[in-house]
Amino acid sequence: MIDEKFDAIVIGAGMSGNAAAYTMAKRGLKVLQLERGEYSGSKNVQGAILYADMMEKIIPDFREDAPLERHLIEQRFWMMGENSHTGLQYRSDDFNEEKPNRYTIIRAQFDKWFSSKVREAGALVVCETTVTELVQDAYGKVIGVKTDRGGGQIHADVVVLAEGVTGLLGTRAGLRKIPKPTEVALAVKEMHFMPQEVIEQRFNLKGNEGVVIEAAGTISKGMTGMGFIYTNRECISLGLGCLVSDFQASGESPYQLLEKFKRHPSVAPLIEGSEVKEYAAHLIPEGGFKAIPQLFGDGWVVVGDAAQLNNAIHREGSNLAMTSGRIAAEAIFQVKSRKDPMTASNLSLYKKMLDDSFVIKDLKKYKDMPQLLHVQSQNFFLTYPQLVNKAMDNFLRVDGTPKKEKEKMTVKSFTSARSWAGLFGDAFRLARAWR
Ligand SMILES: Cc1cc2nc3c(=O)[nH]c(=O)nc-3n(C[C@H](O)[C@H](O)[C@H](O)COP(=O)(O)OP(=O)(O)OC[C@H]3O[C@@H](n4cnc5c(N)ncnc54)[C@H](O)[C@@H]3O)c2cc1C
């Protein structure tokens, strides 16, 4: 197939792969990028929010021609009860700035655009090609790949594994372990189409303004998980994801949970009359800091979801993917510029640079969170949301009950559900995991 040798081969054309391939090609390295999908983004399921700061660090003027949907001016957090939600909402006109901070995007379109930039930068991008094997020399150094197109091996000084969370190449080659069911969430997502003016009316928006709603509580039936609603220009991305281990234990089906989320009285009016044009399911790495595998070795680095670089607490993934791809590329470029070989010890520069970035700093901050949320999922995702919603109902309902009695009722509902010790314990554990 391709018999020349490359400076780098990038496996995958998602956010991390495109960031890595673009950055290396822009610096003059000879890059081959292989993507199994028909085109970059064709396999992607993300919501999706694009974080401008991380994109700017790769393509500073991306706003000029990137396919962006809406810039976000409002975020709602909903704690869901059966027929209610208690919300926290932040909306600011300051987000209507010249260079907005966050956008909704449709990944299939955005990735295609990003890929065109990778090509323009000089990389050779080959789609509809699955890498089937990493080629290692007698000492275990990765020296290239084999693909489903046959034609033997393709060689490179370094291989960037940007194959996403389900990527099997790294695990098959023994470079990382298969993520545990407690470390990955299964998310399902639909695209609901409706006229632009209907979206703007329902979400109180004008022009290209957008809203994000993140919802947790009874919708996940006590499993560790969340729902989301993102406004695009002419459609709404709506989805829900829970840990795979919780799906296994509960026997719940993701599709039924999504249906229930859509029927919730707080959600149904937002999507009423819409036409569903797309349904997709995908895994999200949610193991956090403790699940990060070895990030580099002789002749290889791993980036993005394949490296479990996903901040489940802040629902950030693509920005960590982009940043790790860019940093890996910069590290490779530095090693190459010094004419040093792509050994593990030289490529450890990637980890050092990543450790110094927000990627590892943020994941480290929440290192105990995934375990806490998993073990305490019944409390955090069912009991407390039910109690908070009941307390709000009690607080707002005017029925002649003296307020003091109402307060006592609310306190009693919390202590009988969790006991004082349980309540203080949960608050303490949460505060400790959050710090
Ligand atoms: C429902 C959902 C909603 C999300 N919402 C958000 C959000 O709003 N904001 C956010 O920041 N993140 C979000 N994420 C997470 C985000 O999508 C990921 O973190 C991001 O896509 C990771 O990028 P990546 O390049 O590492 O992997 P991917 O985007 O998964 O790309 C991997 C690529 O590698 C290709 N590939 C795999 N194996 C091979 C092979 N053997 N040969 C060739 N090609 C291969 C795949 O086809 C794919 O194109 C969401 C995820 C999901 C599932």
Side-chain angles (χ1 to χ4, degrees), residues 111-249:
D111 287 16
K112 227 184 202 175
W113 167 86
F114 201 170
S115 185
S116 72
K117 297 288 170 187
V118 175
R119 282 176 214 262
E120 275 171 31
L124 176 61
V125 182
V126 183
C127 293
E128 294 184 280
T129 304
T130 301
V131 175
T132 50
E133 206 183 306
L134 295 176
V135 180
Q136 290 169 285
D137 69 11
Y139 306 99
K141 180 175 195 272
V142 174
I143 54 167
V145 300
K146 280 187 189 174
T147 76
D148 62 351
R149 292 204 178 203
Q153 307 177 351
I154 315 170
H155 293 122
D157 290 336
V158 63
V159 172
V160 179
L161 289 142
E163 50 178 341
V165 60
T166 50
L168 293 171
L169 291 164
T171 52
R172 265 197 234 127
L175 308 181
R176 66 167 187 156
K177 292 199 181 92
I178 296 174
K180 296 182 200 130
T182 49
E183 293 170 346
V184 277
L186 175 61
V188 284
K189 192 197 87 174
E190 287 181 351
M191 301 282 269
H192 287 252
F193 283 78
M194 61 188 90
Q196 194 166 331
E197 56 278 13
V198 175
I199 294 180
E200 285 161 14
Q201 204 179 25
R202 285 183 187 176
F203 290 87
N204 188 21
L205 301 169
K206 58 179 182 350
N208 289 336
E209 293 173 343
V211 168
V212 164
I213 302 174
E214 302 203 288
T218 55
I219 48 165
S220 69
K221 297 193 170 177
M223 299 191 283
T224 315
M226 282 185 82
F228 62 85
I229 298 172
Y230 301 158
T231 53
N232 301 312
R233 219 180 282 256
E234 289 183 341
C235 69
I236 285 170
S237 304
L238 178 148
L240 184 142
C242 293
L243 280 185
V244 168
S245 55
D246 286 352
F247 276 126
Q248 285 172 336

Side-chain angles (χ1 to χ4, degrees), residues 144-382:
V145 300
K146 280 187 189 174
T147 76
D148 62 351
R149 292 204 178 203
Q153 307 177 351
I154 315 170
H155 293 122
D157 290 336
V158 63
V159 172
V160 179
L161 289 142
E163 50 178 341
V165 60
T166 50
L168 293 171
L169 291 164
T171 52
R172 265 197 234 127
L175 308 181
R176 66 167 187 156
K177 292 199 181 92
I178 296 174
K180 296 182 200 130
T182 49
E183 293 170 346
V184 277
L186 175 61
V188 284
K189 192 197 87 174
E190 287 181 351
M191 301 282 269
H192 287 252
F193 283 78
M194 61 188 90
Q196 194 166 331
E197 56 278 13
V198 175
I199 294 180
E200 285 161 14
Q201 204 179 25
R202 285 183 187 176
F203 290 87
N204 188 21
L205 301 169
K206 58 179 182 350
N208 289 336
E209 293 173 343
V211 168
V212 164
I213 302 174
E214 302 203 288
T218 55
I219 48 165
S220 69
K221 297 193 170 177
M223 299 191 283
T224 315
M226 282 185 82
F228 62 85
I229 298 172
Y230 301 158
T231 53
N232 301 312
R233 219 180 282 256
E234 289 183 341
C235 69
I236 285 170
S237 304
L238 178 148
L240 184 142
C242 293
L243 280 185
V244 168
S245 55
D246 286 352
F247 276 126
Q248 285 172 336
S250 67
E252 291 287 342
S253 109
Y255 182 68
Q256 279 166 356
L257 279 193
L258 186 68
E259 285 303 307
K260 195 161 177 260
F261 182 43
K262 280 158 50 185
R263 283 198 306 271
H264 191 283
S266 300
V267 175
L270 298 175
I271 52 170
E272 196 184 315
S274 63
E275 190 188 348
V276 182
K277 286 203 189 156
E278 205 181 295
Y279 174 83
H282 205 276
L283 293 174
I284 306 180
E286 298 212 338
F289 182 75
K290 292 180 181 171
I292 299 173
Q294 174 68 20
L295 292 171
F296 61 91
D298 282 330
W300 63 273
V301 292
V302 59
V303 295
D305 276 11
Q308 283 268 344
L309 301 175
N310 195 296
N311 184 340
I313 307 303
H314 286 260
R315 322 298 305 155
E316 293 176 17
S318 62
N319 52 339
L320 280 69
M322 276 188 273
T323 303
S324 59
R326 173 181 62 79
I327 288 179
E330 285 169 358
I332 288 167
F333 178 70
Q334 283 195 37
V335 174
K336 187 85 190 164
S337 307
R338 293 196 301 257
K339 297 196 169 37
D340 284 339
M342 296 289 164
T343 56
S345 92
N346 287 329
L347 288 171
S348 67
L349 177 64
Y350 160 49
K351 178 164 185 306
K352 191 179 168 307
M353 289 164 71
L354 203 63
D355 283 347
D356 287 340
S357 74
F358 80 94
V359 174
I360 299 297
K361 285 181 183 164
D362 286 357
L363 291 175
K364 207 171 192 171
K365 167 174 163 37
Y366 296 117
K367 66 182 187 319
D368 297 321
M369 229 14 165
Q371 163 83 355
L372 175 67
L373 294 181
H374 174 53
V375 173
Q376 295 279 339
S377 68
Q378 282 290 326
N379 291 324
F380 289 132
F381 292 92
L382 190 64

Side-chain angles (χ1 to χ4, degrees), residues 15-16 35-36 44 46-47 49 107 131 163 230 305 317-318:
M15 284 292 198
S16 63
E35 164 59 47
R36 68 179 172 184
N44 198 276
Q46 186 191 333
I49 299 175
R107 279 287 299 270
V131 175
E163 50 178 341
Y230 301 158
D305 276 11
S318 62

Side-chain angles (χ1 to χ4, degrees), residues 87-114:
L88 177 73
Q89 182 170 350
Y90 183 71
R91 181 183 176 109
S92 173
D93 197 41
D94 292 346
F95 285 132
N96 277 318
E97 54 211 324
E98 195 191 328
K99 291 187 167 183
N101 180 255
R102 298 181 304 155
Y103 295 88
T104 51
I105 52 168
I106 294 173
R107 279 287 299 270
Q109 293 167 12
F110 187 86
D111 287 16
K112 227 184 202 175
W113 167 86
F114 201 170

